[in-house]
Amino acid sequence: QITLKESGPTLVKPTQTLTLTCTFSGFSLSTSGVGVGWIRQPPGKALEWLALIYWDDDKRYSPSLKSRLTITKDTSKNQVVLTVTNMDPVDTATYYCAHRPYNSGWFDPWGQGTLVTVSS
Amino acid sequence: QSVLTQPPSVSGAPGQRVTISCTGSSSNIGAGYDVHWYQQLPGTAPKLLIYGNINRPSGIPDRFSGSKSGTSASLAITGLQAEDEADYYCQSYDSSLSGWVFGGGTKLTVL
């Protein structure tokens, strides 16, 4: 059974850097074809894909946020970390991490999500 | 503005059939990339409902079905039940953006 769980601060101040950790079990990020992605959802709004890291450390970022995002993995700890620099109130959202199955284009399953509020 | 366009809301009475459309372009659905659908119940994380345009993961009732044609895709729900009331999102890949894209979401109300 694959599970993922996001952790990190619930409140950050504008201009600060957000660091979120996704801790997963039930799969290995060293398995060929597998990936972990980050998706966010502002309150009452749609889902927005942010970043994805593959088993071979290849990384992909949303073009609109690329300059502010960094995704890394620690295979030994079964963790993926997302950092977002220069946080702004518009970045207030629930941040999800999700498993990208072998050579697929979808995300399944997702973590429960963590709400991050940006406010001074 | 989402890359994939969905109607903001649809509704239907219990037992009825509803469809949710997802319209893309030549750089995503029209380019041959698969469409996937997620169900998001209130206060919960999205759950995969349909993958690869037409396939249902284990445990998803056959009341849910997907289709794709040209630059669009559709999700159909038959025999509508109260527990189907949720937000539904389509998702694909976009070659121009070199990334994954979602629709704006559709809120299904069961009357």
Side-chain angles (χ1 to χ4, degrees), chain B residues 30-91:
Chain B
Y33 293 104
D34 288 341
V35 177
H36 322 291
W37 292 89
Y38 302 87
Q39 177 191 60
Q40 186 176 33
L41 297 169
T44 69
K47 172 186 173 183
L48 183 67
L49 199 62
I50 298 287
Y51 67 94
N53 306 314
I54 62 172
N55 303 291
R56 281 177 286 106
S58 174
I60 301 299
D62 59 7
R63 301 187 296 106
F64 296 90
S65 63
S67 63
K68 173 190 165 184
S69 178
T71 58
S72 296
S74 289
L75 173 71
I77 309 172
T78 59
L80 210 54
Q81 299 180 4
E83 56 261 37
D84 297 333
E85 193 159 283
D87 292 325
Y88 293 84
Y89 292 91
C90 60
Q91 177 246 310

Side-chain angles (χ1 to χ4, degrees), chain A residues 39 41 44-52 54 60-63 96 100-101 104-113, chain B residues 2 34 36 38 40 44-48 50-52 57 87 89 91-93 96-105:
Chain A
I39 302 103
Q41 183 175 37
K45 296 189 177 181
L47 301 167
E48 177 185 22
W49 170 73
L50 300 176
L52 184 137
Y54 289 99
R60 303 298 167 90
Y61 297 103
S62 167
Y96 297 98
R100 183 255 196 191
S104 73
W106 61 88
F107 298 98
D108 179 56
W110 296 48
Q112 64 187 28
Chain B
S2 300
D34 288 341
H36 322 291
Y38 302 87
Q40 186 176 33
T44 69
K47 172 186 173 183
L48 183 67
I50 298 287
Y51 67 94
D87 292 325
Y89 292 91
Q91 177 246 310
S92 186
Y93 182 86
S96 294
L97 299 173
S98 295
W100 291 263
V101 290
F102 287 91

Side-chain angles (χ1 to χ4, degrees), chain A residues 54-109:
Chain A
Y54 289 99
W55 81 102
D56 60 358
D57 210 38
D58 187 16
K59 301 163 187 177
R60 303 298 167 90
Y61 297 103
S62 167
S64 61
L65 291 164
K66 185 175 183 176
S67 64
R68 299 173 52 208
L69 301 175
T70 302
I71 189 170
T72 60
K73 65 181 176 71
D74 186 330
T75 304
S76 65
K77 292 183 178 180
N78 281 352
Q79 291 182 333
V80 171
V81 174
L82 179 75
T83 62
V84 187
T85 61
N86 194 24
M87 291 289 284
D88 183 272
V90 300
D91 296 313
T92 294
T94 296
Y95 287 75
Y96 297 98
C97 63
H99 170 249
R100 183 255 196 191
Y102 172 79
N103 282 355
S104 73
W106 61 88
F107 298 98
D108 179 56

